[in-house]
Amino acid sequence: GENVEQHPSTLSVQEGDSAVIKCTYSDSASNYFPWYKQELGKRPQLIIDIRSNVGEKKDQRIAVTLNKTAKHFSLHITETQPEDSAVYFCAASRGKLIFGQGTELSVKP
Amino acid sequence: ETGVTQTPRHLVMGMTNKKSLKCEQHLGHNAMYWYKQSAKKPLELMFVYSLEERVENNSVPSRFSPECPNSSHLFLHLHTLQPEDSALYLCASSQEISNIRTGAGELFFGEGSRLTVL
């Protein structure tokens, strides 16, 4: 079955810096790759997703890139702000969503 | 009330107790899910329901028993739990159940029920 590995598990950046979180997946048939953000004590919420027919997608300060050949995808956050502090989960799917272990991002003012 | 709501938000129970978690979605979705979230581990899918029919049981112990009386409500009945079952239990819904052809769609999560088993 699908396996998703996410790195790093924790990430600390200064406000204004960029943050990058990477995920690899094992099932080459996976065709949907969402990213969820979970603030402390809150529910996970979808922040951006990408399908396998697209290599990159941007939404303001966040972007996701997908390399199907290497089976990895990444989340990029530019100009980080303290409110970006949260746990971020990647997932891969060709039907059932399989989540990565999560990355705890801390943005220091 | 809109979105996905879960009750109770916090639950402490002994190993011999019977309790239930409730989830309600007001989004008109056809699929509902239970996930287990433990510290430092990926979200673990437990059960999937599509139009009140269980379509997936991810090797979950029988001490967890789901119930979906209609497409808006989902329950997780708990009986004879173990301390290692302590976790955040998240309910989610989606427009349709995901499949290999269409891939998955957006999941809308509730805020979770924090369960502590003593």
Side-chain angles (χ1 to χ4, degrees):
Chain A
E2 176 67 281
N3 183 51
V4 178
E5 296 287 334
Q6 183 173 345
H7 299 281
S9 56
T10 60
L11 179 59
S12 181
V13 300
Q14 286 297 129
E15 182 177 0
D17 288 351
S18 295
V20 180
I21 303 170
K22 298 181 180 181
C23 289
T24 60
Y25 61 98
S26 59
D27 187 346
S28 57
S30 288
N31 56 10
Y32 176 65
F33 307 90
W35 287 87
Y36 284 80
K37 174 184 180 182
Q38 186 177 25
E39 296 177 27
L40 188 63
K42 300 282 185 66
R43 70 191 78 202
Q45 290 188 290
L46 179 72
I47 55 170
I48 195 168
D49 57 10
I50 192 169
R51 297 197 181 264
S52 58
N53 57 348
V54 176
E56 183 176 4
K57 185 176 179 181
K58 288 184 180 180
D59 183 3
Q60 299 182 341
R61 295 187 297 107
I62 60 173
V64 57
T65 58
L66 171 64
N67 183 326
K68 286 172 56 180
T69 304
K71 290 189 284 188
H72 66 71
F73 56 112
S74 300
L75 178 71
H76 304 254
I77 307 174
T78 58
E79 300 171 30
T80 53
Q81 301 167 2
E83 52 264 38
D84 294 329
S85 297
V87 178
Y88 292 80
F89 294 94
C90 65
S93 167
R94 69 175 185 114
K96 185 167 67 173
L97 264 180
I98 302 298
F99 284 89
Q101 300 93 323
T103 296
E104 185 174 355
L105 173 65
S106 176
V107 180
K108 300 186 184 308
Chain B
E1 189 90 54
T2 59
V4 180
T5 56
Q6 289 186 242
T7 54
R9 293 292 311 277
H10 300 272
L11 178 62
V12 179
M13 59 187 289
M15 290 191 284
T16 58
N17 292 157
K18 286 185 181 181
K19 296 286 185 183
S20 296
L21 307 180
K22 179 183 175 182
C23 176
E24 185 173 0
Q25 58 99 356
H26 307 268
L27 300 168
H29 289 167
N30 291 325
M32 296 188 77
Y33 310 77
W34 279 115
Y35 281 87
K36 178 182 178 182
Q37 186 175 30
S38 304
K40 309 295 184 187
K41 294 177 74 174
L43 287 164
E44 299 173 54
L45 179 63
M46 301 175 71
F47 301 104
V48 183
Y49 277 82
S50 175
L51 295 171
E52 301 118 62
E53 180 181 342
R54 190 191 310 180
V55 297
E56 184 146 356
N57 175 348
N58 243 20
S59 303
V60 179
S62 59
R63 58 186 183 268
F64 293 93
S65 174
E67 179 190 0
C68 188
N70 56 61
S71 59
S72 298
H73 293 84
L74 185 64
F75 294 87
L76 188 63
H77 303 299
L78 315 170
H79 174 53
T80 323
L81 295 192
Q82 305 297 312
E84 58 265 30
D85 297 322
S86 298
L88 181 68
Y89 288 85
L90 288 163
C91 173
S93 70
S94 64
Q95 184 66 51
E96 302 291 342
I97 192 168
S98 59
N99 59 61
I100 292 174
R101 181 179 60 83
T102 64
E106 181 176 359
L107 290 177
F108 291 80
F109 286 91
E111 298 212 330
S113 294
R114 173 71 63 188
L115 173 66
T116 302
V117 182
L118 301 176

